Amino acid sequence: MRGRRRAPPPFPMFASCTDPSTLSGFPWLACYLTTGKHLAFYFSFLVVLALLVLAAPAALAMGLGAALARRSRIGPLRWVAGLYTSMVRGVPDVIFFLFVPIALDQAIEWTRHKLLCPDVTEPIRRGNDFVVCAQAKLPLSSADAWVHDVYGFLLALIAYALVFGAFAANVLDGALKAVPKGQLEAAQAIGMSPGQVLRRVHVPQMWLYALPGLSNLWQILIKATPLLFLLGIEDVVYWARELGGAKTQIFAYPHPDWRAWYFGGLMLFYLLLTWISQRGYERMMTRLARGQKVAGA
Amino acid sequence: MTCAEAIAAYGLRALGLGERLLPSGEITLCQQVALIGSGLIWNLYFAGFALLLGFFLATGLALAKTSHRRAVRLPAAGFIYLFRGTPLFIQFFFAYELFVQVPRAGFQIDLGVVVIGAQTAWLTKAWAGALLVLFLNTSAYTAEIFNGALRAVPRGDVEAAMAIGMTPAQRFRRVIWPTMLRLAWPAYTNEAIFLFHATALVFFSSFPTWRQEGDALYYANYFAEKTFNPFVAYPIAAGYFVLATLILIAAFGLAGRILNRHVAPEQRRRFRFRPEYVR
């Protein structure tokens, strides 16, 4: 696990919180909820939102690329894209989330080792160890904690983009097929090249058909974000476990096991997120369908 | 250790049979294949029972959601909304913490004459607690599918059944329910696939393994961490899942053909991969 703990702020947020043992009731709770660790907990919600905002366009780009590659005239490209889009059908996404970051990490370090330390003759895999020279490590072991955090987040982001790109490719492939043939033939008839047909008619018209599937995918992506926890990132699940666990008297804010409360809070957070998304999708659909001949408007 | 020995030692390790210690030191390919394969028993157990039990609850929930009575409709809709609107992963954590909190000593219901005690500690074990969560979760997703299919049952079919004098119960059993199943089957196949895939999450949430008896991904993760090599164990686990998924699709396809046997081939709804019900 790469993540390292962020240092809590050295002083409490409010002056009245310097000695929590004298407090009770609401002031105690107010102080408790504004400790450094709780601020880190609130920050981790932003990490979830950041992942959503970054992973969605990345997955969409990968999906569009794969969906177009599946209709390519170049055989190998078509096969690779076909394999990529169908892999998510048989393999649970969790396996990818566990596999991709560590595999990517090792692949990068292996390449760097070959490039930066060509004179090391010992093999990289020795029994049950994976040894690369110090310069090949990424991030370098001398790097700051935040560099490790960002690197870990980037690897996670790539894993999400890969998995959801494959899901998106399935959706977009169906949408590309749903565009009426007449539209494409008309575009051809007025002398557009295949590339022009694709860019100016096929892809722009596809979006309306893709929207229901993509909205679905967005919901799935939301519900997949807590899996960040499996990638060793200090996400909402990590902090809920950390903060909710029973705290004895040696802690500033002793309390019994409150994890059920923290996870209940997370349930509410996700319920809210999926609810807002659903509302947003419905509004977008009515706007897009205005003046169009599609069912479900 | 030869390959046959590895299979004998670890082929049923997930059930607690065979070698007690997990492989370490020199880890062979056979050991990985055998142990990860034994873990698949847990995935099949979770998926099988959750789907079987969920099927019945989902039918009830789908019916309740079409009810005209608010008192029946709203709880069903709320249940479905709650389980579909939150991540399964968080549901596992939340349920586990609830199960740990509530029962500590078990329930004591004092009826004056007799004291009824309910031991609830078993709910914190994965075989029961995780199964319960999976069961409720798949019920919610399946109920939504069945509910959509119920609304799509042709009106004429129901009216014809009324016209020949079927009672409401007969109408449901002989007309509405079979048609609902037939219409819902492709989507339900998707749900079954993704529920099966979701079983890989169980031992990565709070539910602890007992005597290191875990599922396929638990063992794959064990090997990947022991050998520091993700390129062998995870593909093995993925291969098992692909194989099981193909068998599942074939079995559901067979059932779908039986449900559709009276329908003209070109009018049948075909199964298409749609990740609509992934959690």
Side-chain angles (χ1 to χ4, degrees), chain A residues 19-66:
Chain A
D19 187 10
S21 56
T22 59
L23 300 169
S24 64
F26 180 74
W28 184 90
L29 195 65
C31 286
Y32 171 70
L33 290 176
T34 51
T35 58
K37 285 198 168 186
H38 271 87
L39 295 184
F41 176 49
Y42 306 141
F43 178 78
S44 66
F45 284 94
L46 293 181
V47 174
V48 169
L49 296 180
L51 178 81
L52 278 173
V53 169
L54 294 174
L60 206 55
M62 299 240 4
L64 189 60

Side-chain angles (χ1 to χ4, degrees), chain A residues 2 100-101 104-105 108 150-160:
Chain A
R2 284 185 168 272
V100 171
L104 214 56
D105 186 42
I108 293 171
V150 169
Y151 182 70
F153 182 79
L154 279 180
L155 287 181
L157 188 62
I158 293 172
Y160 275 83

Side-chain angles (χ1 to χ4, degrees), chain B residues 1 18 66 76 89 97 118 131 169 173 178 185 209 220 238 259 262 264 276:
Chain B
M1 192 180 245
T66 54
F89 197 50
E97 300 306 338
L131 180 63
R173 214 177 51 242
W185 206 252
T209 50
L259 284 170
H262 62 288
E276 277 174 67

Side-chain angles (χ1 to χ4, degrees), chain A residues 180-195:
Chain A
K181 288 276 172 299
Q183 297 282 343
L184 307 179
E185 282 161 11
Q188 256 172 3
I190 60 166
M192 284 192 187
S193 70

